[in-house]
Amino acid sequence: MDADPNFRLKAFAVIACVIGVFLVAFVTQRVWYWMRTRARDDIDTSRVKPIIDFGLLGVGLIVIWLAVEALVLSLLTTDLKIQPRTMQKIAEIEVGKLDDQTDQLNLLFYPVNRAGQRQSTQRRPVLTSGRDFELVVEVIEWRAAWDWLGEGGFYQFVSLGGFDDGSAETPERTALDPEDVPRTAGATLFLRKPRQWEVRQPCKEGEVYDVFIDPASSELEVKLHKAED
């Protein structure tokens, strides 16, 4: 289950599909049998009850639709990161050279794994300007009724760059390859509308900053990295 954060969502899709197919098959069998035997006097058959039978048929179709939407959603969110349930580091930003004459700011962005270790293969160099950096993260949360389907909400890094303090030239931003999550009917049903959070931090050359996500508010926090003893 730890290897697949969408395990519950996929299990829900399978179970819902089985229940929905059973309901549809049950009503279909009842109607088919009644139609074949209604004109025969030698067979005692129960009559079709339209309100109950078609109600069950409608419920079955709705459950099947939910199962399909849940399965599609599990595929769409495969590449998204899972929002931690506790205060946990999600990235590190290392400040390179700060050039006052050219107003150049060099940054190194590192996503981290669940153990808080840098994922060096996903390192992204960022060249911008200014003395502050700004990180934008998109957070997608479950609706309250469906929160039990996942370990937590989802998040993804959107961009990193300098912070525009009102100067004429806007600092450049580097896109961090965010995924475009389509707002399908299932995504709208299960998930809230995505929100983007921004965190800005004055920085000094050579410093490393840890980025955290608050599980209660989904807001971002930045702290100066403390070297391990």
Side-chain angles (χ1 to χ4, degrees):
M1 182 171 173
D2 293 334
D4 187 357
N6 284 331
F7 174 82
R8 297 180 204 169
L9 185 60
K10 293 177 180 177
F12 169 79
V14 173
I15 295 173
C17 185
V18 171
I19 294 174
V21 171
F22 170 78
L23 290 174
V24 171
F26 174 75
V27 175
T28 302
Q29 183 269 341
R30 271 178 53 84
V31 174
W32 178 83
Y33 186 75
W34 174 76
M35 291 181 64
R36 291 291 302 271
T37 61
R38 61 178 177 172
R40 297 182 57 175
D41 297 332
D42 59 329
I43 297 179
D44 185 16
T45 181
S46 59
R47 299 183 60 184
V48 172
K49 299 178 181 179
I51 295 179
I52 297 178
D53 289 331
F54 287 104
L56 289 176
L57 180 63
V59 171
L61 293 175
I62 291 174
V63 172
I64 292 175
W65 173 77
L66 281 175
V68 173
E69 291 292 345
L71 182 59
V72 171
L73 182 62
S74 69
L75 297 177
L76 292 176
T77 56
T78 298
D79 296 329
L80 297 182
K81 299 181 182 295
I82 301 298
Q83 183 176 333
R85 292 287 192 179
T86 58
M87 184 70 86
Q88 184 174 327
K89 181 169 64 174
I90 61 173
E92 289 186 9
I93 298 176
E94 183 175 339
V95 183
K97 183 178 180 181
L98 281 170
D99 194 326
D100 294 330
Q101 295 181 350
T102 61
D103 194 34
Q104 189 177 62
L105 173 62
N106 294 314
L107 303 170
L108 283 176
F109 175 78
Y110 294 91
V112 301
N113 56 25
R114 291 195 174 189
Q117 300 172 336
R118 288 183 178 184
Q119 294 179 295
S120 300
T121 57
Q122 299 182 30
R123 181 184 66 176
R124 293 293 300 272
V126 175
L127 178 62
T128 182
S129 59
R131 300 193 66 84
D132 301 352
F133 67 75
E134 181 180 67
L135 175 66
V136 180
V137 175
E138 184 177 70
V139 176
I140 309 171
E141 297 177 301
W142 291 97
R143 294 191 183 274
W146 303 104
D147 184 63
W148 55 276
L149 286 177
E151 294 184 13
F154 304 95
Y155 72 92
Q156 60 179 342
F157 302 107
V158 177
S159 65
L160 175 64
F163 172 58
D164 182 10
D165 58 357
S167 60
E169 184 178 354
T170 302
E172 295 182 359
R173 300 176 186 275
T174 297
L176 300 176
D177 301 328
E179 297 287 336
D180 183 17
V181 182
R183 294 301 294 174
T184 63
T188 303
L189 175 66
F190 291 107
L191 300 174
R192 296 175 182 173
K193 186 177 180 180
R195 294 184 297 170
Q196 287 191 353
W197 295 100
E198 301 174 355
V199 61
R200 297 164 185 165
Q201 174 68 36
C203 51
K204 296 181 180 180
E205 183 176 328
E207 291 184 334
V208 178
Y209 295 89
D210 297 332
V211 181
F212 295 82
I213 187 167
D214 187 344
S217 62
S218 299
E219 295 185 9
L220 303 178
E221 294 185 12
V222 174
K223 299 179 181 179
L224 184 64
H225 181 77
K226 295 182 179 180
E228 297 181 358
D229 297 333

